[in-house]
Amino acid sequence: QQQVKQSPQSLIVQKGGISIINCAYENTAFDYFPWYQQFPGKGPALLIAIRPDVSEKKEGRFTISFNKSAKQFSLHIMDSQPGDSATYFCAARAAGFNKFYFGSGTKLNVKP
Amino acid sequence: NAGVTQTPKFQVLKTGQSMTLQCAQDMNHEYMSWYRQDPGMGLRLIHYSVGAGITDQGEVPNGYNVSRSTTEDFPLRLLSAAPSQTSVYFCASSYGGSLLEQYFGPGTRLTVT
């Protein structure tokens, strides 16, 4: 059973639009929630991360919204660009360990 | 700084063969992990290590062995390859403690026939 559920599986957005990817979890022992970006043929790279004591974190055009009571977090990409076309993974870490659980991934296609 | 390196980049094995996927990092990271990536499944943790001489199992450890004799290297051994192990394998490393960012290698694409 997947510890982190991610949706949608794929997403098409027009250039300049907002891309939104959602993740949900059950394990309240998770204490760190990163988002990774992966381009074809490459390894994932950290995009932005949040801890559960913060409800929102913004870095440039990328924002994580975190809802601790609902056990959900989401990635918002503002002013989406064709260069943002990639696969995005959410993840969560179990507190006290270095074990990360990943979502199933969202393939984003930003159309020019 | 080469970061995290993995070899080989591609490999084809026959069922029952064994092999070792190599992973090395030059960032003096304590934590290293192996993941497999399959379509629609995201990345799943196979084994991880919190330092030289210390390893532990992840979500999908069966059929794989690891050891960590140095801080830099973390090889993954397939004991008797099976078609179900066809996947893309990624090695990752991080400092540990409060520094949790994982740095991923470029991956090894393995096909078992």
Side-chain angles (χ1 to χ4, degrees), chain A residues 23-82:
Chain A
C23 285
Y25 65 97
E26 287 298 324
N27 189 343
T28 55
F30 289 153
D31 68 346
Y32 173 74
F33 300 87
W35 284 89
Y36 284 84
Q37 181 188 56
Q38 184 182 32
F39 293 105
K42 304 290 186 187
L46 181 68
L47 189 62
I48 187 172
I50 198 167
R51 292 193 184 265
D53 53 348
V54 175
S55 61
E56 186 176 280
K57 184 173 181 181
K58 184 175 180 178
E59 289 184 2
R61 296 184 295 109
F62 301 92
T63 299
I64 299 179
S65 296
F66 189 84
N67 186 330
K68 190 173 181 178
S69 60
K71 290 185 275 189
Q72 295 174 348
F73 58 111
S74 59
L75 176 70
H76 297 234
I77 306 174
M78 313 300 287
D79 186 26
S80 298
Q81 299 296 312

Side-chain angles (χ1 to χ4, degrees), chain A residues 2 9 32 36 38 41-44 46 51 89 93 97-105, chain B residues 31 33 35 37 40-43 45 48 57-59 90 94 98 100-102 104-106:
Chain A
Q2 199 139 23
Q9 191 173 2
Y32 173 74
Y36 284 84
Q38 184 182 32
K42 304 290 186 187
L46 181 68
R51 292 193 184 265
F89 294 96
R93 187 195 80 140
F97 299 89
N98 203 46
K99 295 173 82 164
F100 284 81
Y101 297 90
F102 281 76
S104 53
Chain B
Y31 287 13
S33 305
Y35 295 88
Q37 182 175 19
M41 303 287 289
L43 290 98
L45 183 65
Y48 68 103
Q57 296 182 350
E59 289 180 87
F90 288 100
S94 63
S98 61
L100 296 174
E101 177 178 357
Q102 289 192 95
F104 282 81

Side-chain angles (χ1 to χ4, degrees), chain B residues 7-52:
Chain B
T7 55
K9 197 161 176 60
F10 301 96
Q11 183 71 48
V12 179
L13 287 179
K14 293 190 188 311
T15 297
Q17 287 184 317
S18 63
M19 79 158 296
T20 299
L21 307 186
Q22 301 291 345
C23 174
Q25 52 89 11
D26 61 358
M27 297 174 282
N28 202 31
H29 285 173
E30 286 297 318
Y31 287 13
M32 295 186 75
S33 305
W34 275 103
Y35 295 88
R36 59 177 290 173
Q37 182 175 19
D38 302 292
M41 303 287 289
L43 290 98
R44 291 180 292 169
L45 183 65
I46 304 171
H47 285 286
Y48 68 103
S49 169
V50 299

